[in-house]
Structures are given as C-alpha cells and as structure tokens.
Amino acid sequence: MRKSFPAEDLARDGRFRRARTEDRFEDPRNEFLPPGRRAGKLTPDRSDAAHAARQLMHGIFVGEIQALEGAGRTVWDFDDDEAPFALKLDMARQCWDEARHTEMSVKLGEWMGTEVGEFAETAFLYQAACNPDPVLRLTGVNRALEGLAIDVFNTMREFGEACSDPVLSFCEDWMLADEVTHVKMGSDWLRRLTENDPERRERALEFQRVVDKLFSFRGFRGEADDSPIQLARTFRRMAGFGDTEIDTIAADAEAGSDPEGWRAPVG
Amino acid sequence: MIVTVDPPAFALVDFDAGRIAALAADVAALVGVPDDLAVGIDVDEKNPFGKAWALVDGRSVTLSVEGGAFEDPQRLRQFSEAGTRLVLGRLLFRVADRFDPAFGDPPADVDLTKAEHAAWDAYSLGRYARRAGADGGRERRRYAFRIRHGFNDAADRAFDQLWDGSDLTWVDLRRICSL
Amino acid sequence: MADPSAPRSPFAPWDRRELPGLFTVEESARRVGHYAWIEMRLFEALGGWVATVPELDVKTTLGRHCYHHAWHAELWHKRLPELREMRPDRLIRAPNAHLEAFVAALTEPEAPDLTIEKLVGVFRVLLPRKIAAYSYHLAATSRITDAPTIRSLGFILDDEQTDWQEGEMLLQALIETDEEVARAARRQSELEVLITRAGGIAGPGSLGPSSTSSGPTSSGPTSQTVGAAS
C-alpha cells in the first residue's frame, strides 16, 4: 500500500458520484450570484428547509467518510520519526470517532429520507488531509476541517431543535462533542510539534487559513444572517480557538464572497 | 395543451427546452390537466437553488423554476429527467386541483401557510407516484411534512392519509392535518 | 458477622491463584515489546486501508478496529517501563525478519477490488495468531506477579475475539463465488507460510516450547521460559 493516497482514488461503491472540486468553484452560475446572495441560514422558516437539511446531511455524511479516511491515512502515511506514536494514537481514536459519525450520518440520512449517494460528493475535505507535512495536515484537518464540523453540527443541532426533530438534535449534539475534542487534539499537536519551530507553525496556520477560506466560500459559512452555516463561537472557544482567531475566520468568510479568492488546498 | 419554455436555449446548464416541454406535456396528460390550458415554464438557469412554484391566471399557468430544481443532484449542471418529472408532477397536480370544482377553493399560493404547502405537496406527489409508477420519495416528503406538522404519530398518520389519498378536497386536506 | 480480629488469609477461599509462572520479567518484557510492535503495524495498516476499500461497512469497521489495536499498542507501551524496560523502543520491534516480511506482505494490497485479500490477512491469519499468543501468555504467566499484564490481556483478548468474529462475518458476507473462495484460500495460504516461518507474533515460542519438546516447564526454543516459583 502506497504512502500518500490521492483524493481521486478514494474508494466508493457504485452509488456515489464524484464532482470535481474545481467544477463546483468554477460553476459559471457563481458569477450571477451577487455577493451576499446565499441560500440563507438553515432554519425551518426557509421554504426549502427539508431539502436543504437533507442535502447538508448528505454533505456531512460524505465529509465524515473523508475525515475517517484522512485520519486513517495520517496513521499510515508517516513513519514514527515523522509523527510521534502518541499523535498516531490520537488519529486512530479519531478514526473510530469518524467511523461512528459515518454510521450516525447514514442513520440520520435514512431518518430524513435521503439515500446514500443521492447528492454528488466533492473530495475537497479529504484534499486538506493530503498535505505531506504532518503538522500542516493536522492543522488543516483538525483545526480547519473539524472547526467547520463544529459550525455545521451546531447549525444542524439548532435546526433540529427549532423544528423539534428529536433525533437530529440528539445526534448532532453527540457529534459536536467529538468535534470539539478533535479540534483540541489539533491545537495541542500544533503547539507540541512546532514548539521550537515558529516558522513551521506559521506555515501551518497559513495553510489552515487557506483551507478555512475555502470552507467559507461565497459566505457558505460565516456570521452573516443569511450564511447557511453559522460560525459557532461558543463551541469554538471551548475547543481552544482564541477570539482573535475566530474573528479572522469571520472576517475571511465575509471577504470570501469573492469567487476569485480561492485556490486548491493541497500544499 | 400548449407548453412553452423560457429560455428556448440554455447557456449555463445542459438543459434542453424541447425536452422540458415534452416532459411537461407528458406529465400534464398523466395528471389530467385540462387540455385548453397554456402552460409556460420559466427556468432561471442562473439560479442553482431548487424552488419551483405555479401561478394560475385564468386559463394560463406559469411554472417558475429555479434551475437547481431540474438539475441532477449527482451531476453538476446536468438535467435530471426523473427529478424534473417529480417537480412537474407536484406542480401540475396542484394546478389540476385548482381547476377541479370538486376540490374546492383553496387560497392563492402566496396566501398558503408552509404547513398547507407541505400537505398539498404530499397529496400531489403521492398521487403522481402511483399514477406514474415512479418513486415519489415518500420518506423525503414525510420528513418535509414532519418539519411543518410535527415529529409525532399524529403527523405521520396525517401524512400517510395524504400520500395514499385520492379524491380529497381542500377541506379534507385541512381536516386531515387539523389545520 | 465474623470476629473482625480473627486472622484471615489475603486470598479468599475460592482464589486459587499460585505464584509460579513461566516468564521472567525479561521474557515478559520481550514478548510485550513484540506485541506492541505488531499492534502498531496493524493499526497503521487498518487506518491506511480505510480509504482504499469501497464497501461502507468494511470502511467503518476498519476505522473502529484501527483504534482498538492502537489502544492495545498503548497498553503495551505503558507496560514496558513497568517491566524494567526504561527504553521501550529497544524492545518494540519485530521478533525476526520473517515477521517483518509477513507484515510487508500483509499490508501490500491496495486496490479497491482486493478487500478480500486485506481482510483475510487480518482476520484469518493475523488475529488468530494474536489470540493464540495472547491466550498462551495468559495461561502461562504468573497470575500473581504478572497481574497487570493479565489485566491488559483480558481487555485485549476481549477486543480481539470480538473483532475476529466481526471480521470473519464480513468475509463470509463478501465471499460469494468459487473464485472468491479460492482467492481467500490462496491469500491465507501465502500469509500462513510467512507467519509460520516467523514462529508467530512473538517469534518461535509464541505458543511456548515446540510440541516436540517435553512440556511447558522445559526450556523451549527461546530458552527464556523458566519456572518462576519462589
């Protein structure tokens, strides 16, 4: 088995259909959506609330699969001198958590009437887990991607509460707890592995910022009222993000409505 | 029945106006939309979102569709025939109901509550699925219905009555949902 | 109630544990080091394979099992300093080149249509060997002096047996044709040869002295099993 596994080779059964990340970002319809024209915050008030929630849940589902695959690859790709044993233990633990999230997402999808593979899958979450530097990979996955997961799960949890869906809010709350743990792991390892290498730490944080900007593309995630995914400040603080850092993500998200501003996340 | 599609040619998505018109005529016949209606379908191809609604004005009907409603959720900017049939079936059954004196006199779409929309959509799609022998996405619709009517057994029973129902009236719909 | 001042044995009447065991501190540490090594190689492989298998149930199972074996590795890592090995990395290694070759062969399959080969290696070859070696350790070591190892073995064996059963059921569900039966058998045979050459996960003596020797108290191939009664 190779070290380093490209996103295009991620194994899927026949139900899944892959969309190229570039195609999504370069969709010619994007230019007709003026900045700020978004689907709107995910609340039951939206007339397309059920469809939007199902679509987001399917996105969570494939995101969990990719997070599982990303954590698994970190366990395999790096030799012991590149990634300490304790870091691999944390990633193995994350594998279990993401496997559980995958299971929960499948069940939630069924609950919401969604079929596996109903929506196209882009691999840009996994692409953040392909960086050859374990510190950058950890930062991209455990701080940017898992940070996004905090925002998404909190949005879904609040949506479940708002429409009194007991199953959705229950499950999302559990998943949210795990994601806070994963972000803490990422923050901890970033600090430990770059203790004597501020330049590497800076590169890792810059990588995280690039990935975060991608996740905020066109205001998909942000603090604007009509951002579908809301930045979850309280849970992010709990996970170890500083206020300045959250402010930066919010500011980048606001500026991120510029479709020219994105670039591929693989370093 | 005359069906027109606007725009006649698509530049941003891989849709075919002729194909959409043919599908609409096919679905309208299946549903039982009066032959003398003029149906115009306005597709906003710039819009990737998926809302669709119908406006009835005399004997003419306008279906306004955000492009995403006809798009294959698995293939970006590609047309989905099955998805389009479902959207058309849902809208045209509601149009047919409005022209059916036995159905009663529902308020205009803009005056309907979200709960009423969900109930009428369930009734429309249930009938379309049976008549077309198609998968109408019963559980997807159940979830949409629950969001408006509650996550409880009473709401589920109401949904099943609507989905499996036929020859219901607007008053029946309201009664079933206790609206 | 009995007289609280009456003398009582520290062993309850039903507690039949005895002091003698087959392993010295050094021998126990040697074995534990090998256990840690194979658990590490296994959890790494399972993690790596997650992205390569298309079957969703296999994917999530590998993710779950990956952590099980990582946790086992952690337990063995922690045990080594307690066995007087202050540089655990010195002992965390393969017992011999044959086991390294076995692991290289085990982890070789990558293509998405090789799920059977991946699972056979883990669940029909390696896990049975691990269960055997751990069970032997459990039976052979002193139940009083080596109680911490025994406690870990209990947790680990419980995982191994559950995981083995789960993996075997996955395999039975995946193997549907004569050709797939043949593939599984071929793969098992290839890997059995390699792990047999290695002598098991802890090398020769993984299951004690070879069957040609007179018994568990005699010197086995490692010459490191001794009576530990004092």
Side-chain angles (χ1 to χ4, degrees):
Chain A
M1 178 170 39
R2 281 171 289 178
K3 299 285 182 185
S4 182
F5 193 74
E8 55 269 24
D9 287 352
L10 290 175
R12 295 287 180 273
D13 68 40
R15 292 169 295 182
F16 291 83
R17 178 82 47 183
R18 184 76 47 79
R20 291 171 66 240
T21 306
E22 295 88 331
D23 290 343
R24 181 120 327 154
F25 284 102
E26 292 163 3
D27 186 335
R29 293 173 295 184
N30 288 341
E31 66 180 279
F32 294 99
L33 291 172
R37 171 70 174 89
R38 301 182 262 260
K41 183 179 177 183
L42 181 60
T43 70
D45 289 339
R46 273 174 60 169
S47 59
D48 64 343
H51 179 78
R54 290 192 318 101
Q55 191 167 16
L56 181 57
M57 178 48 68
H58 195 275
I60 290 173
F61 162 60
V62 293
E64 295 298 350
I65 295 176
Q66 290 177 31
L68 164 59
E69 293 168 329
R73 292 309 301 190
T74 299
V75 163
W76 171 256
D77 285 350
F78 301 114
D79 294 332
D80 294 348
D81 52 340
E82 295 172 293
F85 172 64
L87 184 152
K88 290 190 177 187
L89 286 183
D90 276 353
M91 289 300 103
R93 169 58 200 232
Q94 197 163 317
C95 278
W96 180 27
D97 296 346
E98 307 297 6
R100 212 165 52 247
H101 293 180
T102 302
E103 293 167 345
M104 290 158 78
S105 303
V106 171
K107 294 280 187 194
L108 281 172
E110 287 171 3
W111 165 251
M112 298 164 89
T114 305
E115 290 162 18
V116 169
E118 185 176 329
F119 300 96
E121 174 189 12
T122 53
F124 75 96
L125 297 181
Y126 179 82
Q127 284 170 328
C130 289
N131 199 294
D133 181 334
V135 173
L136 269 66
R137 184 184 295 193
L138 250 292
T139 311
V141 173
N142 281 60
R143 304 196 88 237
L145 199 157
E146 300 292 302
L148 172 70
I150 286 178
D151 302 330
V152 170
F153 294 158
N154 189 48
T155 297
M156 277 301 241
R157 189 180 65 100
E158 288 179 349
F159 176 79
E161 283 170 357
C163 55
S164 303
D165 177 344
V167 179
L168 183 62
S169 52
F170 173 84
C171 291
E172 295 297 334
D173 202 35
W174 277 100
M175 288 159 82
L176 184 55
D178 289 336
E179 300 305 352
V180 169
T181 306
H182 297 166
V183 172
K184 275 195 219 163
M185 277 180 194
S187 303
D188 185 39
W189 280 110
L190 173 65
R191 194 179 58 250
R192 285 165 70 176
L193 295 176
T194 62
E195 209 156 18
N196 301 311
D197 192 346
E199 193 269 332
R200 193 181 185 197
R201 178 178 298 185
E202 198 44 51
R203 268 190 293 125
L205 289 171
E206 180 52 32
F207 180 66
Q208 181 194 331
R209 197 168 171 186
V210 169
V211 177
D212 265 326
K213 278 183 185 174
L214 267 176
F215 293 158
S216 301
F217 180 68
R218 291 199 71 90
F220 168 72
R221 182 267 307 276
E223 291 191 309
D225 283 346
D226 58 352
S227 285
I229 304 302
Q230 297 286 307
L231 205 56
R233 279 187 176 264
T234 305
F235 289 106
R236 278 179 171 271
R237 280 193 202 103
M238 211 180 275
F241 281 103
D243 280 334
T244 312
E245 219 174 351
I246 302 173
D247 289 342
T248 303
I249 296 170
D252 285 346
E254 193 52 40
S257 47
D258 173 11
E260 301 303 315
W262 84 278
R263 59 190 168 93
V266 182
Chain B
M1 189 173 66
I2 298 168
V3 180
T4 55
V5 175
D6 187 63
F10 293 89
L12 303 175
V13 291
D14 192 9
F15 292 3
D16 182 294
R19 184 80 192 118
I20 293 171
L23 283 179
D26 191 37
V27 172
L30 187 78
V31 164
V33 173
D35 279 343
D36 62 331
L37 295 186
V39 176
I41 305 176
D42 290 343
V43 182
D44 180 3
E45 67 167 328
K46 296 192 293 295
N47 194 326
F49 302 120
K51 291 180 198 146
W53 61 97
L55 196 67
V56 176
D57 183 14
R59 304 302 288 177
S60 90
V61 176
T62 304
L63 307 183
S64 298
V65 179
E66 294 179 345
F70 287 171
E71 187 177 351
D72 186 338
Q74 287 192 323
R75 295 170 184 82
L76 203 61
R77 298 190 291 130
Q78 301 301 303
F79 184 67
S80 164
E81 180 170 323
T84 299
R85 282 181 182 276
L86 276 186
V87 171
L88 293 171
R90 175 172 62 84
L91 296 179
L92 291 175
F93 252 115
R94 286 176 55 154
V95 167
D97 287 341
R98 284 193 182 278
F99 283 98
D100 178 4
F103 184 72
D105 190 20
D109 271 12
V110 290
D111 296 324
L112 293 176
T113 64
K114 292 188 173 75
E116 289 169 330
H117 274 294
W120 203 355
D121 282 347
Y123 177 46
S124 300
L125 275 168
R127 284 177 292 169
Y128 177 77
R130 279 197 303 282
R131 203 166 291 181
D135 174 10
R138 184 180 185 128
E139 296 312 308
R140 286 202 293 276
R141 279 291 150 183
R142 185 190 299 282
Y143 190 72
F145 188 82
R146 283 170 168 170
I147 287 177
R148 305 299 173 208
H149 293 267
F151 287 81
N152 53 60
D153 291 346
D156 279 5
R157 278 195 300 272
F159 174 83
D160 288 334
Q161 270 188 279
L162 292 167
W163 188 272
D164 296 329
S166 55
D167 299 325
L168 299 178
T169 66
W170 178 246
V171 172
D172 291 333
L173 256 67
R174 290 181 55 83
R175 178 183 47 76
I176 288 169
C177 301
S178 304
L179 290 167
Chain C
M1 183 174 162
D3 175 5
S5 63
R8 285 180 66 87
S9 162
F11 296 93
W14 54 85
D15 184 345
R16 311 309 298 162
R17 287 177 298 151
E18 295 293 345
L19 280 174
L22 296 185
F23 302 145
T24 60
V25 172
E26 289 75 14
E27 170 61 4
S28 197
R30 184 189 71 81
R31 285 175 180 264
V32 165
H34 297 323
Y35 299 161
W37 185 85
I38 195 69
E39 294 285 8
M40 287 170 70
R41 300 294 81 83
L42 180 54
F43 89 75
E44 289 166 354
L46 296 182
W49 271 333
V50 167
T52 72
V53 293
E55 300 87 354
L56 269 180
D57 51 351
V58 178
K59 208 179 265 293
T60 54
T61 301
L62 294 183
R64 185 158 22 91
H65 288 194
C66 171
Y67 177 64
H68 294 174
H69 299 294
W71 182 61
H72 303 167
E74 185 182 20
L75 289 175
W76 295 137
H77 264 256
K78 286 180 176 168
R79 183 68 181 134
L80 281 172
E82 298 165 358
L83 293 168
R84 269 201 318 260
E85 181 48 63
M86 297 309 152
R87 289 171 49 215
D89 290 347
R90 209 176 58 86
L91 289 186
I92 298 174
R93 56 184 172 80
N96 52 47
H98 292 303
L99 198 68
E100 288 177 329
F102 166 78
V103 167
L106 174 83
T107 58
E108 194 201 351
E110 179 186 285
D113 57 350
L114 294 179
T115 302
I116 287 174
E117 281 74 6
K118 293 166 192 167
L119 297 188
V120 164
V122 174
F123 295 107
R124 288 193 174 167
V125 182
L126 180 54
L127 257 59
R129 292 287 180 157
K130 288 175 68 193
I131 289 170
Y134 289 158
S135 298
Y136 170 68
H137 195 136
L138 193 63
T141 198
S142 165
R143 295 177 66 199
I144 295 174
T145 62
D146 201 15
T149 302
I150 286 177
R151 184 167 158 78
S152 291
L153 281 167
F155 292 137
I156 292 170
L157 271 169
D158 188 49
D159 271 352
E160 299 282 336
Q161 281 160 348
T162 307
D163 291 357
W164 177 31
Q165 183 181 26
E166 201 173 2
E168 175 58 29
M169 289 174 79
L170 276 176
L171 270 167
Q172 289 184 22
L174 287 169
I175 296 171
E176 294 179 323
T177 65
D178 293 355
E179 168 55 22
E180 286 163 348
V181 170
R183 269 174 58 191
R186 205 163 43 237
R187 176 71 176 157
Q188 182 172 358
S189 170
E190 289 162 5
L191 291 173
E192 280 291 355
V193 166
L194 296 175
I195 203 162
T196 300
R197 284 181 195 153
I201 66 166
S206 288
L207 299 188
S210 70
S211 58
T212 53
S213 63
S214 56
T217 51
S218 67
S219 293
T222 64
S223 300
Q224 291 174 22
T225 51
V226 294
S230 57

